Amino acid sequence: MAPSVQCIDCGASTPYAPAGESCPKCGSEWREVRYDYPAAFESLSASLRSRPFDLWRYRELLPVRGPSPDLTLGEGGSPLLPAVNLGLMLGVPKLFIKDERQGPTASFKDRQAAVTISALKEAGITEMVVASTGNVAISYSAYAARAGVKLWAFVTSLVPAVKMREIALYGSQVVKVTGSYDLCKKVAVEFARQRGLYIDRGARTLASIEAMKTIAFEIAEQLGRNDTRDAPRSWQAPDWYVQAISGGMGPLGVYKGFRELQEAGLIARRPSLAAVQVEGCAPMVEAWRRGLDTAEPVLSPRTHVETLATGDPGRAYTFLRALARDTGGTFESVSDEETFRAMHVLAKMEGISAEPAAAAAFAGLFKLVRLGVIKSSDLVVVNCTGHTMPAEATVLGDRWSRDIKPQSLADTPEEGLLAALTEVAPARFPRVAIIEDSADARRLVRRILQSQGDFTILEAADGRQGLELIRRELPDLIILDLMMPEVDGFAVLDALRESPETAAIPVIVTTAKELTPAEKSRLGGQIQSLLQKGDFLNDEFLEEVKALIR
Ligand SMILES: Cc1ncc(COP(=O)(O)O)c(C=O)c1O
Ligand SMILES: [Zn+2]
């Protein structure tokens, strides 16, 4: 049965839609996906034994059809490592590390990207905007590349250059905003609004929360196992789940997972939540200590752990506060210095090189053990959320990012923003129409053009629709498949030649097979370029496109 969506504020229930943004009844953006749980768990328990250990093994409880072979990168299924040395050192022998560094782009955000991009692909979205402190943009970029989705990644200029280059390497459009992450989000929202593009809404993105759930499912399965090769005998929740948080999407999803397991009677109770922030940007810890239900934004975060620099957690804090209270959990902050020390200890004691944002969780663990909040008998799972690998600088050249320095925003915010955004990308890109009946071939051509950034792409799946599209939009260039059922490429060319408006539009013809002499002569001098599918490289193709548009 298809999942439904329930509004957290008014309770209204609607069918799930991947790109749906708010409750049709009350307008709330805070909603959650609901399933036919008895049926889902029955099907799960019958099939888990035979499924590989990746996040798609829980597909009955995910809002997408399933693993799409042309999208998956092997996400989820990370090991739960016993941390024997650290456990001994801290006097907490039942200490485990959920090693999320082992995701395809080396952070737990790969789960989010895999499920969310799958959902958006199912909804037909081919261009989107995301604002990120780094890792979300990296993960989304990898999956967007495979899905044929053009990604505009807005990052703050504080994000380390190696991470920005990794985003660019995947062919995303990197927009570097000089300012805080909260400002960066505002600029991204405005950019998406101007262009009518889908924008990722962080923790309000239903598919993303669902993706993060799989961390809870996996932990409970892994702890419940006696033998790692067996399907679970039982499910078991830890006493504590420790994670470093920024916007709080991780624990919101993870705890939805624990709740579903609890409601299904598979675990007795949810773990206590230990949410860790860095002192230089700890709005949630501050609000928790003061007993507030709403966090006051930190306007100028002061930390070297940029990944965790969400200054304004918004309503996510209110939900997390309730979770921490209900589970006997807590919020704790650690200094940058403690974070970097923990990073070194983790590497030396457990052979795990984590990025600072992940190390903050371990610094938090050390502190909570020292304070006696986490007890020596507790079973503790720490999420090691990420590991950063440098992307080679030399392959990208020097024009891999677009920069926004909204200094003038303070005086005339509206005008400053508009001016800055027009500098980043012109209102109108050259328009390329792809007329091609194979969805795979369309995606390939789209991807090659997208990764270069500066085209608007129009698509049609057959000759008839293609002609309509061309007559309506008068694109700057046409990429035309010859072999299509009914109205084929030859017929499209003939029709284009009949009208002076369309006769002059340059055409690149693609074909899956060698043309016969008769076919070649039928094309005559009409076309600018002929490309054999399976025999063209992305840069040759781009050169061709650029030359024809000029
Ligand atoms: C490595 C790493 N750890 C922790 C976090 C915090 O995650 P969240 O607050 O979204 O759960 C992030 C967020 O980007 C991250 O990339
Ligand atoms: Zn509602």
Side-chain angles (χ1 to χ4, degrees):
M1 207 176 83
S4 62
V5 179
Q6 193 167 32
C7 175
I8 289 176
D9 289 306
C10 77
S13 182
T14 40
Y16 172 74
E21 304 203 336
S22 54
C23 171
K25 207 164 156 206
C26 76
S28 170
E29 291 188 304
W30 291 94
R31 303 174 308 148
E32 61 178 18
V33 184
R34 307 290 296 167
Y35 303 81
D36 176 353
Y37 285 103
F41 276 103
E42 195 185 313
S43 162
L44 264 184
S45 65
S47 359
L48 275 184
R49 189 177 282 275
S50 60
R51 289 185 184 165
F53 194 64
D54 62 26
L55 71 74
W56 301 107
R57 68 195 264 103
Y58 312 110
R59 68 189 70 137
E60 285 86 348
L61 293 170
L62 292 173
V64 283
R65 280 187 219 120
S68 153
D70 51 3
L71 204 132
T72 180
L73 284 162
E75 49 284 343
S78 66
L80 186 69
L81 308 170
V84 178
N85 294 330
L86 265 191
L88 265 174
M89 189 188 92
L90 294 169
V92 180
K94 287 183 279 177
L95 177 62
F96 293 86
I97 297 173
K98 184 65 174 160
D99 193 5
E100 288 292 296
R101 299 173 315 154
Q102 299 198 31
T105 75
S107 92
F108 76 141
K109 295 295 181 182
D110 287 327
R111 294 176 191 267
Q112 176 184 339
V115 178
T116 304
I117 301 280
S118 294
L120 293 177
K121 189 173 168 232
E122 284 180 12
I125 282 173
T126 58
E127 185 168 353
M128 67 177 288
V129 179
V130 70
S132 162
T133 59
N135 290 335
V136 172
I138 290 175
S139 294
Y140 274 43
S141 295
Y143 287 90
R146 288 172 72 77
V149 172
K150 174 171 173 176
L151 188 73
W152 294 88
F154 284 70
V155 291
T156 82
S157 48
L158 297 174
V159 169
V162 287
K163 285 198 176 178
M164 291 199 201
R165 288 200 298 266
E166 173 115 1
I167 300 167
L169 192 64
Y170 291 120
S172 291
Q173 311 308 305
V174 179
V175 186
K176 211 192 291 181
V177 181
T178 303
S180 71
Y181 176 49
D182 291 320
L183 175 67
C184 176
K185 277 199 271 195
K186 283 203 186 86
V187 176
V189 166
E190 178 57 22
F191 181 78
R193 196 193 58 77
Q194 277 181 19
R195 294 185 167 246
L197 295 177
Y198 176 84
I199 183 161
D200 185 76
R201 293 167 312 120
R204 289 162 300 171
T205 309
L206 298 169
S208 298
I209 293 289
E210 297 306 293
M212 287 303 187
K213 256 173 28 178
T214 59
I215 295 176
F217 296 164
E218 287 180 16
I219 290 173
E221 262 202 272
Q222 287 168 315
L223 289 175
R225 264 178 207 177
N226 293 330
D227 182 326
T228 47
R229 286 158 306 179
D230 263 358
R233 298 242 176 104
S234 59
W235 301 67
Q236 189 190 342
D239 297 313
W240 285 91
Y241 171 76
V242 186
Q243 197 206 297
I245 60 167
S246 186
M249 134 108 51
L252 286 175
V254 169
Y255 276 77
K256 181 167 190 273
F258 282 126
R259 196 183 78 212
E260 288 176 350
L261 293 178
Q262 188 183 26
E263 285 172 1
L266 295 173
I267 58 172
R269 55 174 213 91
R270 293 172 294 169
S272 304
L273 168 65
V276 184
Q277 295 199 291
V278 277
E279 275 167 13
C281 186
M284 303 207 225
V285 182
E286 182 61 23
W288 173 259
R289 287 186 184 140
R290 290 168 56 197
L292 303 177
D293 204 36
T294 310
E296 219 164 87
V298 170
L299 297 179
S300 315
R302 285 183 208 292
T303 172
H304 289 104
V305 191
E306 303 77 17
T307 307
L308 300 181
T310 298
D312 184 3
R315 214 171 147 189
Y317 167 68
T318 309
F319 294 124
L320 288 176
R321 179 181 188 230
L323 272 179
R325 279 182 150 180
D326 293 349
T327 62
T330 190
F331 288 76
E332 191 52 82
S333 64
V334 293
S335 67
D336 279 15
E337 204 197 328
E338 288 168 316
T339 299
F340 287 107
R341 211 181 303 137
M343 186 171 163
H344 202 182
V345 169
L346 183 64
K348 286 190 292 190
M349 306 297 282
E350 297 292 351
I352 290 175
S353 164
E355 76 162 276
F362 290 86
L365 166 76
F366 300 168
K367 198 163 179 176
L368 290 170
V369 172
R370 215 167 43 235
L371 291 171
V373 177
I374 293 181
K375 310 244 173 341
S376 63
S377 58
D378 288 342
L379 197 169
V380 181
V381 172
V382 185
N383 187 338
C384 186
T385 44
H387 180 340
T388 313
M389 294 173 288
E392 182 56 56
T394 52
V395 298
L396 292 172
D398 53 9
R399 287 187 46 232
W400 54 267
S401 82
R402 307 163 200 246
D403 299 0
I404 297 185
K405 299 201 171 71
Q407 298 112 330
S408 51
L409 280 185
D411 330 327
T412 51
E414 293 306 307
E415 281 169 38
L417 195 51
L418 288 177
L421 287 175
T422 347
E423 266 168 49
V424 155
R428 184 187 185 283
F429 287 129
R431 295 176 318 147
V432 180
I434 307 171
I435 320 297
E436 163 72 69
D437 63 323
S438 147
D440 286 342
R442 261 196 329 269
R443 186 180 60 207
L444 170 66
V445 172
R446 184 203 310 148
R447 186 63 202 159
I448 292 172
L449 296 175
Q450 281 174 339
S451 64
Q452 200 273 343
D454 296 336
F455 299 106
T456 293
I457 298 162
L458 313 164
E459 295 178 42
D462 62 42
R464 187 167 295 116
Q465 289 174 30
L467 275 173
E468 279 169 27
L469 176 81
I470 293 165
R471 289 178 181 138
R472 189 174 65 238
E473 302 284 346
L474 298 175
D476 300 292
L477 174 72
I478 299 164
I479 296 167
L480 177 67
D481 180 23
L482 277 187
M483 308 305 167
M484 293 183 289
E486 294 182 51
V487 182
D488 67 5
F490 293 104
V492 171
L493 285 169
D494 290 342
L496 292 180
R497 201 164 24 180
E498 276 164 20
S499 150
E501 269 200 309
T502 54
I505 303 175
V507 181
I508 296 178
V509 158
T510 60
T511 165
K513 64 167 186 72
E514 196 84 53
L515 294 187
T516 64
E519 285 168 334
K520 272 192 186 144
S521 81
R522 210 180 144 196
L523 286 177
Q526 250 196 97
I527 59 148
Q528 275 63 35
S529 165
L530 178 73
L531 291 171
Q532 186 97 23
K533 283 181 198 165
D535 190 27
F536 65 88
L537 288 171
N538 102 44
D539 48 352
E540 288 168 4
F541 178 68
L542 270 174
E543 286 313 311
E544 201 87 52
V545 167
K546 282 192 229 165
L548 288 175
I549 280 177
R550 234 173 263 133

